[in-house]
Amino acid sequence: MLLSLSWLREFTPYEGTAEALGDRLTMLGLELEDIRRPFDAIAPIVVGLVVACEDHPQSDHLHVCKVDAGQGELLDIVCGAPNVAEGQKVPVALVGTTMPDGLVIKKAKLRGAPSFGMICSERELGLTEDHAGIMVLPDSFEVGKPLVDQLVLDRELLDISVTPNRADCLSVLGLAREAALAFNLPLNIPALPLQVDESAPQRLIPIDIEDPDLCRLYSGRVITGAKIGPSPMRVRHRLHAMGVRPVSNIVDVTNYILLEYGQPLHSFDLDKLEGGRIVVSRAQDGEKITTLDGQERILTPQDLCIRDSSRAVALAGVMGGLNTEITAESSNVFLESAVFLPAAIRKTSRRLGLSSESSYRFERGIDQQRTVWALDRACAMMAALSGGTVQPGLSVSEPRPFKAASIDFRPARANALLGVTLTPEFDQTVLTGMGCTVDASGDVWRVGQPSWRPDLTREADLIEEVGRVHGLDTIAPELPPVCRDLAHAGEPESRFAFWLRLKHWGAGLGLNEAVNYSFVGHKDLDHLGLPREGRISIMNPLSAEQDALRTALAPGLLHDLRNNLAQGAQGLRFFELAHTFEADAASETTARETGMLGVLLYGSRFDTAWPQAEGDMDYMDLKGIVENLMRFLHLPAPVCTLAAEHPFLLPCVEVAVDGRAVGVMGRVKPAMADEFHARKDVWLAELNLEILRELHDAAQVRFRPLPVYPPVRRDITVMAGPGLTVSAVMSHVRGLALPLLEDLVLVDCFEPKAVEGQDAVRNLTFRLTFRHADRTLKDAEVDKEREKVAQSLVAALGVKV
């Protein structure tokens, strides 16, 4: 929203700078994007007087003018405009001036006649798009003075970013309210009384609203005898500065009121309205209308139309129809001011790809209480600019009158939520300054919602308003006190806290978190061989590639893989915490959501080779991450079992904890991974967070003091045949329950080349950690314990040590 500083001052006496206003509005939640000064480029332009004007002897359209530009001598200027004449006051660009389009004015000869400057048109000055002739200034302008000082121009514009809930700030009046509230200034709305020809009979247009839910109010007035022509200079220049193209006095008024008060209006040529009546109804399926931009639109029953007795004449709230357009021949006008359902306007605008200043405001909601008021102001302005007469009689239908919400407000609650102490007087000043009605009797106040603030419906909304006017940036940061109430200590943490801890775990492990849409494509799920049973299709997908809810995390993670490989990544380590979805008729939402953790590994184990050994990640890396997660959650080591088959993993390992299946991990089938541009193995794990949470909450966490005495470590290498797994060795050693054995880990695996006719034998090296809680161990004790382990392995498993 562009805000003219001079326009703002017509509503409130703000005397500060544009920068100070922008900073304060930003702190109020209306972010300043930029400060524009659209007319700085014409600051060197001066006012000149055409003393003499003669035809150029060598041209049939040029004129040789003598101009007094306040330089002490008359300047010869050659001008080609058809309307230049002696005695006019005109804008003059002197030699050396740089025009807004970059043209530098130099001394020149045109058809042999010297020229020392340029008499400018409005388009050349960047004031409007009018280039029919030079700009003729009022006789009151002083010769030789800068043009911008004598034109009443909007020289400073603030570009304000308005959030969707603050539709009231999409107008000069709305932003003036904010400025007045911020700087404790009065708010004054300039008077513009409506004068009606009371001697004439009432001119009423029948209005029929077929669906009151879509149109809450429709009103209009008739203006006769209007002369269509350009608006006065002040109006045209102001609209152009605000980014609106001036059209004619009637159309310009509708745009002017829209910018000033936020009420969209539309003017119809009354003589082109067939049957002399207005019907607000849904469009017929396949009905066509040609809008003001000259495009033919095909409508559906979801679109709301304004109709006369036989056809659609406008798309309600979006754009008018070409068949009732105001033209130079128009003289009788029907001016519309209405309130439409925001959702209906939004659907039509999005479906047709047709957005306008009107639809932008209707989509966010407008002030129903000021709809007729804005209509009357526009009629008064149209009559003044066009010479027309406002006919008596207001045509209005309001099937859904505005009803202000009544909200309870507790000053003590506001202080508690904001963490500051605000006086009741301050709260009441803010609320009344916003336009609320306040009954401040008792501890609970009754606050009436202003009609221009549809976003104020709850006590929290009012507290937010009080807080932002006080200044959320002024609230001192303060750490909350440590809770001394131990009554709830030891209770299970919330779902959010549990997921947040897992995110910290993943980041701490060096994994990068992926965040993907819940939407995937059916073709993605089909590609991975996932069953169609239980899928949930999207009725209105964002795109054809996102027409289903995901039943697994793999599609999103594999798309992340492809995108990162396209950027030249060599090693990828992803994790994602998200929900998967399955159809469930028994659920209230017909869908069952399951929290899942996905981990994807690909490519180089380390980002750089030196000083680390080169190598690609493999199953051991993935399994290590899963085992680390179980230790992080204080769960026993997972039991890994090779699965017979899986839709997209081969090999696939099923992961179980305490006898409960918690997920799978393995390598994505190469043929499937190839579709995502993978040239190496892709390792993927998906774990059920719902089950892990249950196991975690049921786990008994035991604390013990940190060890005081040093550990002693011994390695033992066993030669294992193909039928012996690492887990079998580790389970056997742990089963010995040696009191001094603290830890057991696999540190190396050597697989010699297979010899023909002989089974491959792996050399597995385990590291045994021994420690005594009360003293330092001796080598002899440790060697004896190691020997027990070796003999037991040989006897029980038949391995060689």
Side-chain angles (χ1 to χ4, degrees):
M1 172 68 191
L2 292 178
L3 172 63
S4 163
L5 198 58
S6 61
W7 205 346
L8 172 79
R9 286 171 176 153
E10 296 177 10
F11 288 85
T12 187
Y14 174 75
E15 299 299 333
T17 63
E19 289 78 7
L21 177 61
D23 290 343
R24 188 69 184 100
L25 290 178
T26 298
M27 291 300 102
L28 289 175
L30 302 166
E31 184 178 357
L32 174 67
E33 297 284 351
D34 189 18
I35 297 178
R36 304 181 186 180
R37 294 177 172 86
F39 302 120
D40 281 0
I42 62 172
I45 306 298
V46 298
V47 176
L49 173 64
V50 181
V51 177
C53 179
E54 299 177 354
D55 292 338
H56 194 295
Q58 303 295 328
S59 172
D60 59 353
H61 69 281
L62 295 178
H63 303 85
V64 179
C65 303
K66 288 191 177 296
V67 179
D68 179 8
Q71 304 298 305
E73 60 179 351
L74 298 181
L75 302 177
D76 290 327
I77 298 178
V78 177
C79 179
N83 64 328
V84 64
E86 181 180 326
Q88 291 175 337
K89 288 185 177 179
V90 293
V92 177
L94 303 174
V95 172
T97 300
T98 301
M99 301 299 292
D101 60 359
L103 173 67
V104 178
I105 305 302
K106 300 177 181 179
K107 296 179 183 178
K109 277 192 176 183
L110 299 176
R111 302 281 181 93
S115 183
F116 299 92
M118 183 174 74
I119 303 175
C120 307
S121 68
E122 291 192 10
R123 190 172 76 175
E124 289 164 340
L125 295 174
L127 296 175
T128 68
E129 293 299 317
D130 185 10
H131 196 55
I134 62 167
M135 181 180 182
V136 180
L137 302 175
D139 292 337
S140 59
F141 281 27
E142 295 185 36
V143 174
K145 299 295 184 181
L147 175 68
V148 293
D149 291 342
Q150 301 187 68
L151 286 175
V152 185
L153 296 176
D154 298 285
R155 300 184 61 181
E156 289 183 297
L157 300 176
L158 288 78
D159 188 356
I160 305 294
S161 177
V162 179
T163 53
N165 65 313
R166 292 305 306 274
D168 61 298
C169 290
L170 294 173
S171 66
V172 177
L173 173 60
L175 292 173
R177 287 194 190 103
E178 292 292 306
L181 183 62
F183 294 97
N184 195 25
L185 298 172
L187 181 70
N188 302 304
I189 299 178
L192 188 62
L194 175 65
Q195 296 181 354
V196 179
D197 183 8
E198 299 294 350
S199 63
Q202 281 199 341
R203 190 75 179 271
L204 297 176
I205 303 296
I207 298 172
D208 181 15
I209 300 176
E210 292 188 356
D211 192 339
D213 291 330
L214 300 182
C215 181
R216 301 167 185 174
L217 182 151
Y218 192 98
S219 63
R221 285 189 183 272
V222 172
I223 302 172
T224 59
K227 294 183 179 179
I228 310 301
S231 298
M233 185 185 301
R234 176 73 183 116
V235 174
R236 289 187 285 115
H237 294 171
R238 171 162 280 179
L239 290 176
H240 187 76
M242 299 288 285
V244 177
R245 180 177 64 89
V247 179
S248 67
N249 46 11
I250 297 299
V251 177
D252 291 350
V253 167
T254 62
N255 290 326
Y256 195 94
I257 295 297
L258 177 140
L259 295 173
E260 191 170 36
Y261 301 112
Q263 173 64 51
L265 305 167
H266 183 66
S267 52
F268 297 94
D269 187 326
L270 182 61
D271 298 329
K272 297 177 183 177
L273 283 176
E274 298 179 3
R277 64 192 301 262
I278 290 291
V279 178
V280 184
S281 65
R282 294 179 183 270
Q284 298 175 4
D285 193 17
E287 185 177 3
K288 298 180 181 180
I289 182 175
T290 301
T291 48
L292 289 173
D293 57 1
Q295 301 293 317
E296 185 179 72
R297 314 283 179 177
I298 300 177
L299 308 181
T300 71
Q302 287 188 338
D303 302 322
L304 187 64
C305 286
I306 310 299
R307 317 175 69 87
D308 57 16
S309 59
S310 61
R311 58 189 174 156
V313 295
L315 275 175
V318 180
M319 187 173 287
L322 196 62
N323 49 14
T324 54
E325 178 188 19
I326 297 292
T327 64
E329 292 74 29
S330 302
S331 61
N332 299 319
V333 177
F334 176 71
L335 183 62
E336 159 202 289
S337 183
V339 178
F340 302 112
L341 182 68
I345 306 304
R346 188 181 305 116
K347 288 178 182 178
T348 297
S349 178
R350 297 295 185 275
R351 187 184 66 80
L352 296 176
L354 181 61
S355 181
S356 63
E357 291 289 341
S358 295
S359 67
Y360 189 80
R361 286 161 175 79
F362 275 124
E363 289 172 17
R364 288 155 177 78
I366 59 175
D367 184 0
Q368 185 168 338
Q369 293 290 80
R370 287 191 178 269
T371 300
V372 175
W373 177 85
L375 171 69
D376 289 346
R377 294 181 70 86
C379 288
M381 191 172 177
M382 283 184 181
L385 299 189
S386 69
T389 302
V390 181
Q391 297 298 308
L394 171 67
S395 304
V396 61
S397 175
E398 189 175 12
R400 295 286 187 270
F402 172 77
K403 184 178 181 180
S406 182
I407 310 167
D408 289 342
F409 176 79
R410 294 165 291 175
R413 178 62 175 165
N415 291 343
L417 281 183
L418 296 173
V420 295
T421 301
L422 303 177
T423 64
E425 293 75 18
F426 176 82
D427 295 341
Q428 187 169 4
T429 299
V430 171
L431 295 175
T432 54
M434 289 164 43
C436 298
T437 59
V438 180
D439 178 3
S441 58
D443 295 334
V444 181
W445 298 359
R446 297 296 294 174
V447 178
Q449 170 196 31
S451 59
W452 55 86
R453 292 298 302 272
D455 57 312
L456 301 182
T457 58
R458 306 172 301 165
E459 183 182 30
D461 299 329
L462 300 178
I463 295 174
E464 180 186 10
E465 294 298 307
V466 172
R468 73 182 184 91
V469 175
H470 171 267
L472 298 179
D473 57 313
T474 65
I475 299 177
E478 183 178 340
L479 290 175
V482 177
C483 180
R484 297 179 180 177
D485 181 11
L486 301 180
H488 301 288
E491 288 187 355
E493 63 187 336
S494 66
R495 180 190 187 92
F496 172 79
F498 179 71
W499 280 41
L500 185 61
R501 279 206 304 127
L502 291 181
K503 291 183 179 184
H504 290 165
W505 162 83
L509 212 58
L511 306 177
N512 295 309
E513 184 179 3
V515 180
N516 293 303
Y517 284 115
S518 299
F519 310 126
V520 296
H522 277 294
K523 66 176 184 179
D524 294 326
L525 300 176
D526 292 338
H527 174 69
L528 295 180
L530 293 169
R532 282 193 165 267
E533 292 78 17
R535 291 189 195 176
I536 302 175
S537 298
I538 306 299
M539 295 180 63
N540 53 341
L542 298 174
S543 66
E545 290 74 26
Q546 295 179 320
D547 56 355
L549 287 172
R550 62 187 170 201
T551 58
L553 301 186
L557 290 172
L558 289 172
H559 278 292
D560 295 336
L561 169 69
R562 178 169 59 190
N563 294 336
N564 282 269
L565 290 179
Q567 303 302 319
Q570 300 298 317
L572 300 172
R573 296 171 286 275
F574 291 146
F575 80 99
E576 180 180 15
L577 281 82
H579 288 97
T580 59
F581 305 85
E582 293 184 38
D584 183 3
S587 172
E588 181 180 354
T589 61
T590 70
R592 181 173 68 254
E593 299 183 25
T594 305
M596 299 292 291
L597 167 66
V599 178
L600 183 143
L601 304 178
Y602 174 88
S604 302
R605 181 173 287 111
F606 303 104
D607 293 334
T608 56
W610 191 88
Q612 307 291 348
E614 293 187 12
D616 292 334
M617 288 179 281
D618 55 21
Y619 171 71
M620 294 298 181
D621 296 276
L622 184 63
K623 184 181 179 185
I625 291 174
V626 173
E627 291 177 338
N628 184 279
L629 174 63
M630 303 309 163
R631 288 196 296 272
F632 176 78
L633 297 177
H634 307 291
L635 299 178
V639 176
C640 301
T641 308
L642 191 65
E645 59 179 353
H646 190 271
F648 56 85
L649 296 180
L650 182 69
C652 173
V653 175
E654 295 177 345
V655 182
V657 177
D658 273 348
R660 298 186 65 182
V662 297
V664 295
M665 59 181 176
R667 183 186 64 174
V668 178
K669 294 179 179 179
M672 295 180 178
D674 186 64
E675 293 294 323
F676 298 93
H677 303 168
R679 298 297 177 262
K680 298 177 180 179
D681 289 341
V682 180
W683 299 94
L684 183 69
E686 289 198 23
L687 304 175
N688 190 313
L689 291 180
E690 310 295 340
I691 299 176
L692 289 177
R693 172 73 187 279
E694 293 177 17
L695 295 172
H696 169 264
D697 290 346
Q700 295 292 328
V701 180
R702 298 184 181 276
F703 296 91
R704 59 184 180 183
L706 294 174
V708 177
Y709 296 95
V712 180
R713 297 181 177 88
R714 293 288 187 269
D715 288 355
I716 182 171
T717 300
V718 299
M719 300 174 63
L724 185 63
T725 62
V726 173
S727 60
V729 177
M730 299 183 73
S731 297
H732 178 77
V733 174
R734 291 194 176 103
L736 297 177
L738 300 177
L740 299 180
L741 182 62
E742 183 181 73
D743 194 17
L744 170 68
V745 294
L746 176 69
V747 295
D748 196 12
C749 176
F750 172 67
E751 298 188 26
K753 293 182 179 179
V755 179
E756 186 176 353
Q758 298 182 6
D759 291 335
V761 177
R762 296 181 298 166
N763 293 339
L764 306 176
T765 300
F766 299 89
R767 180 157 295 162
L768 310 173
T769 300
F770 300 93
R771 192 198 305 265
H772 198 288
D774 300 323
R775 59 184 176 83
T776 301
L777 291 174
K778 298 179 180 180
D779 284 344
E781 294 178 282
V782 175
D783 293 340
K784 183 177 180 181
E785 294 296 311
R786 179 193 178 282
E787 187 61 26
K788 288 182 182 178
V789 173
Q791 292 178 3
S792 178
L793 288 173
V794 171
L797 302 180
V799 301
K800 293 182 180 181
V801 176

